[in-house]
Amino acid sequence: MKYSDTKGPISLSSVPQNAIGHAVPGSKKDIECAVVEVTPEMAKEWLKKNRSNRKVREDRVDRYAEQMKDGEWMVSPDAIAFSHTGKLINGQHRLKAIMQLEEGSSVQCLVAFGLDPAAFKIADVGVKRTGADVLRIEGFKSAEEMAAVCRLLALWKQGRLEELHRYENVSNSVIVDIATACRKRLVETIEKTGSDKGALAGKMPRSLMAFAYFAYKPTFPVRADYFFDGFLYDKNFPAVDWEEEYGEKGAKNPISLLKDKMRKGYDNLSRKAKLALLVKAMNRYCLERPMKQLRWRSNESFPELAARKPAGEQDLFS
């Protein structure tokens, strides 16, 4: 019987016996692999076997530890790995994260023993799945933009919007949770911001505009639409003289101030600065508070959104 003729789920038993190797070249020990409940005590001991061949990224360790404490950790196909000489060649970040857990805690991990010592050279070089990859697998359209918006929503909910310039600071599971919880409104928002791709060129990244519109719309249903259409198309917002309307000399429409700011310095502004300016302008516009100038400096605190933030864990922007 040919291998292609085998039926049923793929498993080790479906692989021809003559194709199965039990040890790597140069080793007399069989390769062993199992899902192990790894405790902080085990992690500490295992790290003593570390080759110390890679710099530890503390931000990654902290992120893993947070996921473990929150119950979001899943068994990864990328195993914690030991060579047949007894050295740790993969998994130091996970083990350091496990050491941050309380005594008596444990985390399930796939652990492999008996590998080639040279395998450390190729450990951690695989391309990790992004939030967009996972959303695409789950059947979401416009996955790249949706993942970017969901990531911003998660950071806003957690009070960490100032970290938007950092990557890998929101887990894929959280991105999927938010995308699933409010799929209909997210799709509508992304379609609205992407209907005319040229309208935002040189004005604002689409994902930032989509995030802001999505966040402000429930709290300011009319003003959010006015701001969006006014910023993109110079239409559908009250054509009022802000100086005359609000009785403040020199007051200007925040939409106009934001447009001027983007037109003069778009290429020189960071993504973080663009969102900060967008939030400042949208706050003032939606709250109908006059402003004479629009600016944000990198040493300032990141502005809070005037929109209502989701309150509870179950309140995922729906």
Side-chain angles (χ1 to χ4, degrees), residues 203-204 227 230-231 234 237 242 248 250-265 269 277-278 280-282 284-285 289-295:
K203 291 183 178 179
M204 189 65 59
F227 187 96
F231 184 68
D234 296 313
F237 65 95
W242 277 61
E248 184 173 328
K252 297 178 181 178
N253 188 332
I255 294 176
S256 300
L257 290 172
L258 182 61
K259 282 184 175 180
D260 289 343
K261 203 77 176 179
M262 293 299 108
R263 185 174 60 251
K264 294 175 182 177
L269 290 169
L277 292 166
L278 173 59
K280 277 194 164 187
M282 209 158 180
R284 290 289 190 143
Y285 186 86
R289 294 178 182 171
M291 64 191 313
K292 297 179 181 179
Q293 59 181 349
L294 175 64
R295 64 184 179 187

Side-chain angles (χ1 to χ4, degrees), residues 150 152-158 178 181-182 185 211 214-215 218 308-310 314-318:
C150 289
L152 291 169
L153 289 170
L155 291 174
W156 176 42
K157 185 180 189 322
Q158 296 165 7
I178 293 176
C182 44
R185 197 157 72 84
F211 158 72
F214 186 97
R308 180 187 68 84
K309 183 186 294 187
Q314 302 304 315
D315 186 10
L316 285 171
F317 309 92
S318 55

Side-chain angles (χ1 to χ4, degrees), residues 210-222:
F211 158 72
Y213 180 78
F214 186 97
Y216 282 83
K217 177 70 173 173
T219 310
F220 305 100
V222 176

Side-chain angles (χ1 to χ4, degrees), residues 22-31 84 114-117:
H22 297 281
V24 296
S27 172
K28 296 180 181 179
K29 298 179 181 178
D30 287 354
I31 288 179
H84 62 73
L115 299 180
D116 187 331

